[in-house]
């Protein structure tokens, strides 16, 4: 009976600390939405304990985890995530990454959403060499918005409301 109690306690502590670590890594699981007006929408992201902006968003309506990367030209998606999203490989591309030159495949995302902002027709690349489930949210998405960093917060504001553009 004592062994079962200790095992239960260990399991509960593991669950609690797992949740704490996940919230520290991705403090933007629920993106903070600032009320804009008719001219703009904006969100505020908090930097994680490693100094990165990690946030939960959506691609084509499916929940995903983004790492914002202003050094990435396009949104970069690991092959296993692309497969689960039903994305098809387009033309092969030669891409220069932090890990060297690799072959990736062009694709276009119907809709990318972060909080209350979104963009349609976002160029992306499928990278079979990326490990994990995290998507690099590159400039093909971010360039459509105004970015303002203050301290440990990044404000992303949408000003364009036309169809086929950022919203």
């Amino acid at each position: 009976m004592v062994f079962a109690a200790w095992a239960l306690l260990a399991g509960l502590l593991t669950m609690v600390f797992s949740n704490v670590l996940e919230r520290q890594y991705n403090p933007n699981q629920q993106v903070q939405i600032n009320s804009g007006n008719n001219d703009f929408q904006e969100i505020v992201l908090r930097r994680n304990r490693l100094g990165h902006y990690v946030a939960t968003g959506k691609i084509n309506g499916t929940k995903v985890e983004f790492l914002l990367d202003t050094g990435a030209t396009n949104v970069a998606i690991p092959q296993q995530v692309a497969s689960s999203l039903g994305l098809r490989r387009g033309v092969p591309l030669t891409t220069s990454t932090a890990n060297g030159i690799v072959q990736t495949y062009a694709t276009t995302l119907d809709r990318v959403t972060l909080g209350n902002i979104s963009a349609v027709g976002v160029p992306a690349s499928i990278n079979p060499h990326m490990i994990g489930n995290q998507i690099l949210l590159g400039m093909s998405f971010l360039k459509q918005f105004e970015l303002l960093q203050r301290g440990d917060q990044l404000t992303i504001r949408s000003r364009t409301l036309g169809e086929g553009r950022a919203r």
Side-chain angles (χ1 to χ4, degrees), residues 29-48:
Q29 293 175 21
Q30 298 293 323
V31 174
Q32 178 186 337
I33 298 172
N34 281 354
S35 57
N37 57 32
N38 291 335
D39 296 329
F40 69 88
Q41 297 290 323
E42 70 180 24
I43 61 171
V44 177
L45 302 179
R46 290 182 296 132
R47 205 170 4 187
N48 72 9

Side-chain angles (χ1 to χ4, degrees), residues 17-29 46-52 54:
F17 285 115
S18 230
N19 250 350
V20 168
L21 290 174
E22 178 60 28
R23 279 194 310 271
Q24 285 179 348
Y25 183 72
N26 181 355
N28 303 297
Q29 293 175 21
R46 290 182 296 132
R47 205 170 4 187
N48 72 9
R49 61 187 170 94
L50 300 173
H52 301 128
V54 176

Side-chain angles (χ1 to χ4, degrees), residues 83-131:
S83 295
S84 71
L85 292 171
L87 301 176
R88 294 183 182 233
R89 289 180 172 189
V91 298
L93 306 168
T94 300
T95 305
S96 179
T97 72
N99 291 323
I101 301 207
V102 298
Q103 182 171 319
T104 61
Y105 300 90
T107 193
T108 300
L109 307 174
D110 294 335
R111 180 174 295 273
V112 177
T113 304
L114 192 56
N116 63 342
I117 63 172
S118 64
V120 296
V122 178
S125 62
I126 298 170
N127 187 338
H129 308 283
M130 285 176 72
I131 298 170

Side-chain angles (χ1 to χ4, degrees), residues 118-123 139-146 157-160 164-167:
S118 64
V120 296
V122 178
M139 292 306 292
S140 60
F141 175 81
L142 295 171
K143 71 181 178 184
Q144 301 178 58
F145 306 102
E146 179 182 331
R157 179 179 290 171
S158 169
R159 289 202 173 272
T160 308
R165 302 285 309 233
R167 298 193 204 235

